Amino acid sequence: MFPTGSSSHTLRRLSLLLWLLQALERGLGRASPAGAPLEDVVIERYHIPRLCPREVQMGDFVRYHYNGTFEDGKKFDSSYDRKTLVAIVVGVGRLITGMDRGLMGMCVNERRRLIVPPHLGYGSIGLAGLIPPDSTLYFDVVLLDVWNKADKVQVSILLRPPHCPRMVQNGDFVRYHYNGTLLDGTSFDSSYSRDGTYDTYIGSGWLIKGMDQGLLGMCPGERRKIIIPPFLAYGEKGYGTVIPPQASLVFHVLLIDVHNPKDTVQLETLEVPPGCVRRAAAGDFMRYHYNGSLMDGTLFDSSYSRNHTYNTYVGQGYIIPGMDQGLQGACIGERRRITVPPHLAYGENGTGDKIPGSAVLIFDVHVIDFHNPEDPVEIKTLSRPSEACNETSKLGDFIRYHYNCSLLDGTRLFSSHDYEAPQEATLGANKVIEGLDRGLQGMCVGERRQLIVPPHLAHGESGARGVPGSAVLLFEVELVSREDGLPSGYLFVWHDDPPSSLFEDMDLNKDGEIPPEEFASFIKAQVSEGKGRLMPGQDPERTISDMFQNQDRNRDGRITAEELKLKSDEDQERVHEEL
């Protein structure tokens, strides 16, 4: 017998050497049954596999097929005809000596032609009715399996992912794909053909012992080759028609995910912005982006693909329990990875066609903003003017201010600097969002503030043009100027008491009627002389026209003495009418 070579070139040299030795023996009259008897088994290795991880040794258990013939080619026996492999221990006297010797050093899938002389076969007695005495026997053998009782499960790591969040342990629940073959490469089963993973517990007796051992220590996404000897697989009985008795099994396994029923949500902080002064709590309303994937990296959903944040309340059961837990404690702008076991996600049934049953889910989350429905406007003073500030902005004041408005993630929305003049508003007149109205009150001219406005004081759940729904807004504002406003309902106020002869003063031509021209001239004169003022922030001509229309009760374009009344007098009359 010749040892297995390390390359095809070596094998060819050995085969050539064997042929030369056999030719020499035949030349000496010892290789042919017609001549002198053979002294030992003649071995012709006519097919040697490229890979040979192990060779048959004495005491190994082997499974092989064979055809047995005499020198004239007449067949006396065949395992193929019986459709049953030979499964036996070699080198311990259970086979004829010639076969025991001829199988030594064989590789799985190797094919040999053995010539067994009588004294190493059935000798001078033969086998009654089958093999005559002194018969030289010829065997064509193919080895399909070899193992030893001392064998253990053989594990080869084919691919290990760079990131391994956890390894398989006893008691874990795993989901994996596999291709199962016999040692000779014959396929007997595949999870891929069923279009579904194999899902089971480890170390609980649900798997063959060898698989229980071979999966330990695997990472999600890892690929392994696991070779299992029969006594750690299906043993002497085999399994159905696909796994013969005493068969070694080879599994190529891809681990999809792993979890334990006792697992909780796992959090991994990827990025926390500086200056985190508040963290999300149950009851907050949050807007966040996410990528959702299975443990093997398969993406099943993404808010980015919809170009829209996911908006929800936290800790109130609107999302899967694992996300409800995993989002609490986050800062605005934080990025975190949330790993959710199935019992805190979609359980054994999964959902839809993208999340299988018993799937561990991984969410890479970017928190855009969050707020509480009871949040006020947050005001932070950035700078104040150096000179003393005796008066601050208040309700009714007409103000001019500059502002920059953005989302909390830095997305720029609007800016007054894009226009030629500052923004104008009368505080309390419902001309700006409520949060900005509140944040602009109490300011000194020249003061700069940062305002954080929750959506219920901004544009609400629906948002506005350019503003997403439920968005928290960040304003940087600077008060440019301030003018005292007028009381509600007033277009003009006197600084002192009005003239007692108001109608006569207005009736410039003393004809007993006041046309629009006289009315406008009179009001403008009062403003220029500092005796009264118009509502700030409005077109004076429009304001005076509105004042005239209010006094021209009969709409004839003239105001009479009976029609002219002060706003205070009108309010008093209204009170009496109501009484």
Side-chain angles (χ1 to χ4, degrees), residues 17 22 68 73 79 115 136 209 247 252 265 269-270 320 410 431-432 446-447 462 483 510 521 541 569-570:
L17 179 59
Q22 291 173 342
S79 63
I115 303 176
T136 297
K209 292 181 179 180
H252 283 80
V265 173
T269 301
L270 306 178
I320 58 174
K431 298 300 183 182
V432 295
E447 181 178 343
S462 301
E483 298 178 45
K510 308 306 179 184
S521 297
E541 298 292 342
D569 295 336
E570 289 181 342

Side-chain angles (χ1 to χ4, degrees), residues 550-568:
N550 290 340
Q551 298 299 321
D552 182 13
R553 315 290 176 171
N554 60 8
R555 300 292 188 266
D556 64 353
R558 298 286 187 271
I559 299 174
T560 63
E562 290 75 17
E563 291 177 314
L564 184 64
K565 295 179 182 178
L566 295 175
K567 179 73 166 57
S568 57

Side-chain angles (χ1 to χ4, degrees), residues 404-436:
N404 291 315
C405 177
S406 64
L407 302 178
L408 290 191
D409 65 353
T411 302
R412 183 178 181 274
L413 297 179
F414 314 107
S415 174
S416 63
H417 297 282
D418 294 338
Y419 306 96
E420 295 181 355
Q423 184 78 10
E424 298 178 345
T426 299
L427 294 178
N430 298 321
K431 298 300 183 182
V432 295
I433 58 173
E434 185 176 353
L436 183 57

Side-chain angles (χ1 to χ4, degrees), residues 199-212:
D199 307 343
T200 187
Y201 285 94
I202 298 296
S204 301
W206 292 26
L207 291 167
I208 57 175
K209 292 181 179 180
M211 201 62 162
D212 258 345

